[in-house]
Amino acid sequence: NLQMAKQSLAGKKCNSFSKASTEKQLIRIWQEIFGTTDINANSDFFELGGNSLTAIKLLSQVESIFGEESLL
């Protein structure tokens, strides 16, 4: 879920981002990918219709915003 994604980014390159800023950016990515504004920190990737192709899109966007190191 989005909460787990946010936690995995903690302590990585996104140190310069506040937690609130990081969460807002992740929510925006999820909103764009899933085409809905009804996303929060507890949203479930699979319940929203996520699949392997959606995961690739999500990871691509996260890498674009937070840097390649955020995916390690």
Side-chain angles (χ1 to χ4, degrees):
N1 68 24
L2 186 55
Q3 186 67 27
M4 289 171 39
K6 185 177 77 168
Q7 288 172 351
S8 73
L9 289 173
K12 300 205 177 187
K13 184 178 179 181
C14 59
N15 283 348
S16 61
F17 295 102
S18 71
K19 287 182 181 181
S21 175
T22 300
E23 184 173 308
K24 286 178 186 177
Q25 288 183 305
L26 286 170
I27 287 173
R28 276 189 231 124
I29 292 169
W30 280 49
Q31 287 172 337
E32 180 181 318
I33 290 190
F34 289 106
T36 181
T37 58
D38 191 25
I39 304 279
N40 61 56
N42 296 312
S43 294
D44 185 89
F45 179 81
F46 296 105
E47 287 179 10
L48 291 167
N51 57 40
S52 58
L53 295 176
T54 311
I56 297 299
K57 291 178 187 176
L58 179 67
L59 291 173
S60 175
Q61 289 293 321
V62 168
E63 180 182 21
S64 174
I65 291 173
F66 296 101
E68 186 176 323
E69 296 83 20
S70 66
L71 301 179
L72 302 177

